Amino acid sequence: MPIGPSLVLRGVINDQQLEQAIAESRSSGERLDRVIVRLGLASRQDVLAAVGEQFHMPVVDLASCVVEPAVLGMLPAKLVFRQRCVPIAKEGAALRVATSDPYDIAALDELRLLTGCSIETVLADEEELQKFIRANYGVGGDTLDAMSQGQAASQVEAKPVDEADQAQEASVIRLVNDLLAEAISERATDVHIEPYEHELAVRYRIDGVLQRANVPATIHRFGAAIVSRLKIMANLNIAEKRKPQDGRITFRHRMPQGGGAQEFDLRMSVIPMLFGEGVVLRVLSKTAVLMSLEDLGMPAGVKDRWASLIERPHGIVLVTGPTGSGKSTTLYASLNRIVSDEIKVITVEDPVEYHVRGVNQIQVNTQVGLSFASGLRSILRHDPDVVMIGEIRDKETAETAVQASLTGHLVFSTLHTNDAAGSVTRLLDMGVEPFLVASSLEGVLAQRLVRRICRECAEAYVPDAADVPAALGLAPGAALMRGRGCRACRQTGYRGRLGVYELLRLSEATRHMVMERTAAPGIAAAAQREGELSTLLQDGFTKVREGKTTLAEVLSAMSE
């Protein structure tokens, strides 16, 4: 039975939806089963089951398959990548091969001739199949295989390799694109390319933790070509190998399952090292700037009080935390909340990470004398209502921000302190007068990022009583959640991150304590008594009890 009627018979789709999918398939030339999934008319699993029934092929779960290396080696990487099929078992003269495209009969004939085995085909989900190929054959394995053969041929013919020419070759371009696409697919925030004497390490920072990318060992032969290609993409000088260079790359990536193409900004830094040039790419999604306060995971009480702070007509509002704690994301979400045609917003950033519609953004350039302080003084002449300073780093910037807030502007900025109350003493330590801090500072939001328990492999467990702090408030024998580890989370038990927040709003009593230079713990204790401070640890423990993260993650974040 054809795939469409089969799905209708199963009750997965109705006749009208089938007609819609058929019309779309004729228009786009795309296979009907893929159109049905792309339009959201049926899940991948339902369509896969129907295709398996149509071809009388069993469906296999590749996520749980463990394949012997000898079996994987029966097909060359180039063929596996090209035909999108993988060997998963061998029994006698029969080779079991998983494919997501049973319509390609010619590919199966090619495998039969190449291996000399009878081919037994099973059906696998296309996305799972691609993950399996990358995990077992490496990212860009087919490209590297072809490049290695080409390099060997040039050595036989004694042809010198020109790095600039090699960087423009289609194979190198495809390899770099594969590495970047894999990083985005794995939700990496940073890509590290590190040259060693006999190795080129590629690592992705995923959910705040560095993890090795699965690339073939032969990639080290093309390290210089990869770096040169990235330099070309970032409009950097490929001949300069002695000095650090910085640049930006705009990379378009088509998201899986009909998600469409998305643009990513890659902020690139190149530094000369002992065995070559090291590269770090910060991956900035242009859709991240569209996050709202509701998307950040703030507790309802914190979100409402923070919203009231950022809607005030003047004063200073700070976000604090260590590097990589999501401060910029919170500031952008706050700007999105208040920006309108009635409000003029100007920012001074180093660097400008995201472009925000309706916001005038200025890039710091110290080489021409444009610092945070000088930029802030200049933009005050442009009659802004709201000003955002990327970071308060020194006394000059702090005093200028205070003066801006006292003259009727709302000022957003960030500081590097461990908690909210510590921001008050940090401003005093910079040399700002206590009465200026007390009269201008409205509130401080401290935050951390913790890893979220993977939903695919989450399981309940009862922790040892000795490992549970009393402050967690867990009843004896009560269960917590943790991730068992699966392919979706790269066996880590975590997938994605969420924020943990602490909000301090200054009251008359705490402003008086600032005037008297009271230490941060004293200010925090007074604010808690007044109900104006909810601590990071309290919010973290709440998220542990709710099963969103683990106790180990919260305690680790609090130690930063």
Side-chain angles (χ1 to χ4, degrees), residues 269-522:
S269 174
V270 187
I271 298 180
M273 295 183 177
L274 186 61
F275 297 105
E277 292 179 285
V279 177
V280 174
L281 296 158
R282 168 64 59 88
V283 182
L284 303 170
S285 170
K286 292 191 174 183
T287 59
V289 73
L290 302 176
M291 289 185 71
S292 65
L293 291 182
E294 287 73 20
D295 298 326
L296 297 178
M298 289 183 182
V302 171
K303 183 190 69 178
D304 294 340
R305 289 187 293 150
W306 177 250
S308 70
L309 283 175
I310 64 176
E311 290 172 359
R312 294 191 177 185
H314 54 77
I316 296 179
V317 180
L318 296 176
V319 180
T320 184
T323 301
S325 59
K327 299 187 297 296
S328 296
T329 301
T330 298
L331 284 178
Y332 284 124
S334 302
L335 289 179
N336 278 326
R337 175 73 170 245
I338 64 174
V339 68
S340 69
D341 290 338
E342 290 78 32
I343 294 177
K344 179 162 186 173
V345 182
I346 305 180
T347 72
V348 186
E349 305 172 62
D350 183 23
V352 175
E353 293 190 346
Y354 299 106
H355 301 294
V356 186
R357 183 180 177 85
V359 175
N360 302 275
Q361 297 173 272
I362 299 172
Q363 169 77 52
V364 166
N365 188 347
T366 54
Q367 294 181 349
V368 297
L370 179 56
S371 63
F372 281 120
S374 63
L376 178 56
R377 284 195 301 269
S378 298
I379 64 179
L380 291 180
R381 304 188 191 103
H382 278 241
D383 188 32
D385 299 291
V386 178
V387 174
M388 187 183 94
I389 315 168
E391 183 183 350
I392 295 178
R393 296 177 178 173
D394 50 41
K395 178 182 178 182
E396 184 183 11
T397 307
E399 288 183 336
T400 309
V402 168
Q403 293 300 328
S405 70
L406 294 176
T407 53
H409 303 87
L410 180 62
V411 180
F412 290 144
S413 192
T414 68
L415 274 178
H416 287 277
T417 58
N418 291 329
D419 55 21
S423 298
V424 177
T425 53
R426 176 63 58 85
L427 291 173
L428 297 177
D429 291 342
M430 285 181 178
V432 183
E433 292 295 333
F435 74 92
L436 292 176
V437 175
S439 57
S440 61
L441 187 62
E442 296 295 334
V444 184
L445 181 73
Q447 66 181 71
R448 299 289 190 277
L449 288 178
V450 295
R451 289 184 291 175
R452 188 188 295 269
I453 294 172
C454 175
R455 296 177 182 176
E456 300 292 328
C457 61
E459 63 178 11
Y461 78 104
V462 178
D464 293 336
D467 298 333
V468 179
L472 184 59
L474 195 68
L480 294 177
M481 298 299 292
R482 65 184 175 190
R484 185 174 59 255
C486 63
R487 176 169 291 182
C489 61
R490 296 172 68 101
Q491 306 300 326
T492 62
Y494 301 98
R495 183 173 172 84
R497 290 191 289 179
L498 71 158
V500 176
Y501 299 95
E502 169 180 298
L503 179 60
L504 167 66
R505 291 196 304 185
L506 270 69
S507 63
E508 290 302 319
T510 49
R511 291 183 196 278
H512 184 70
M513 297 176 76
V514 174
M515 294 280 289
E516 295 180 339
R517 291 183 178 271
T518 304

Side-chain angles (χ1 to χ4, degrees), residues 17-60:
Q17 290 173 324
L18 177 57
E19 290 176 7
Q20 176 191 356
I22 291 173
E24 175 66 18
S25 176
R26 287 172 178 167
S27 172
S28 65
E30 192 177 1
R31 251 174 40 194
L32 181 61
D33 57 323
R34 292 175 176 170
V35 168
I36 291 172
V37 173
R38 177 166 60 81
L39 294 178
L41 303 178
S43 68
R44 300 201 318 263
Q45 290 73 21
D46 285 337
V47 172
L48 194 66
V51 173
E53 183 180 88
Q54 180 185 9
F55 284 87
H56 303 288
M57 291 171 59
V59 177
V60 65

Side-chain angles (χ1 to χ4, degrees), residues 55 57 83 101-112 121:
F55 284 87
M57 291 171 59
Q83 302 290 13
D101 187 4
Y103 299 91
D104 191 353
I105 306 300
L108 303 179
D109 289 338
E110 184 178 357
L111 298 183
R112 191 176 295 108
T121 53

Side-chain angles (χ1 to χ4, degrees), residues 172-184:
V172 176
I173 293 173
R174 186 165 58 250
L175 175 60
V176 170
N177 288 346
D178 285 346
L179 290 173
L180 298 180
E182 172 74 358
I184 291 169

Side-chain angles (χ1 to χ4, degrees), residues 139 179 182 202-204 211-216 490:
V139 181
L179 290 173
E182 172 74 358
V202 180
R203 296 193 288 172
Y204 300 144
Q211 300 179 36
R212 281 256 183 174
N214 185 25
V215 294
R490 296 172 68 101

